[in-house]
Amino acid sequence: MCRVVDLQQAVLAKNDGAARALRTELTARGTTVVNLLSSPGSGKTALLERELLLAREQGVAVAALTADLATENDAVRLARSGALVKQVLTDGLCHLEASMLARHLDGWLPEETRLLFVENVGNLVCPASYDLGESLRVVLASVTEGEDKPLKYPTAFGPAHLVVVTKTDIARAVDFDEAAFRANVQRVNPGVEVVLTSARSGDGVGLLLDRARAIGNGAAAHVPVMARPQDDTRGPGPGHAHPHVHDHDHDHDHGPGHTHDEGHVHHHGQPGPTVAQTR
């Protein structure tokens, strides 16, 4: 059992070091990273597409990196906004890690980028334990997922700087209890802001962009109870109250045909995706 605890600490310590380095580097060049976490089907891609389009209309230098186990579907959708978009295929890995993100950004992310949205793998368990060097961690939940979602997944909602409710246009149809949801969020993350959005109706669209830009302009992020101090200038990073343990190093070679570093880059107006290998 002691060996497992030591391994757990070593895995997360390695990631935390990479996250601190990435956060320091991106902060120095004026890039704010927003880490989006949610269950599959929460509607975060639809909302993110609207936010990217709005950012472009406002003249914000924005980019998005989206991670999935397979397919380029989300990158294709997000590229319709005109923003620079990259698809990362994890080939079965259930989350992103700071070192992976750093490799995918190297040589791809323009220096002038002010906002980078990272759409993490659809999963409220594994991604919650890994700091990506973000300045704003956002957890999204749709009205169809149930008001008790924050209580079931405290390690996701607990360290969040912002909670976003999606698909509010169908809230009445599914009997969503907003007051109960807000109360449950406050039980695991006292003081965190909860915003309501609908990508379909447009309600609340722009709130995520506004919060991200405010952080980039020096506003202080909410400090979650579950957060741990980080040695950066943007405030605390996410905490790891109940870390998810892997007994392997994701930097090792999995053999022919398998890599965690395959990415697909989409540029608005170009004829199709090109494959970018970043190792």
Side-chain angles (χ1 to χ4, degrees), residues 173-185:
V174 298
D175 292 327
F176 177 67
D177 188 335
E178 180 186 339
F181 180 84
R182 288 181 178 275
N184 290 335
V185 169

Side-chain angles (χ1 to χ4, degrees), residues 35-38 124 137-141 156-157 160 162-165:
N35 185 8
L36 304 176
L37 296 87
S38 79
L124 283 178
R137 173 173 285 212
V138 182
V139 176
L140 302 91
F157 285 85
L162 177 69
V163 175
V164 175
V165 179

Side-chain angles (χ1 to χ4, degrees), residues 86 100 103-106 108 259 261-263 276-279:
K86 185 173 187 177
M100 296 167 59
R103 288 196 296 272
H104 282 290
L105 298 183
D106 186 27
W108 171 73
T259 175
D261 294 324
E262 182 179 346
Q277 297 288 346
T278 51
R279 290 186 173 88

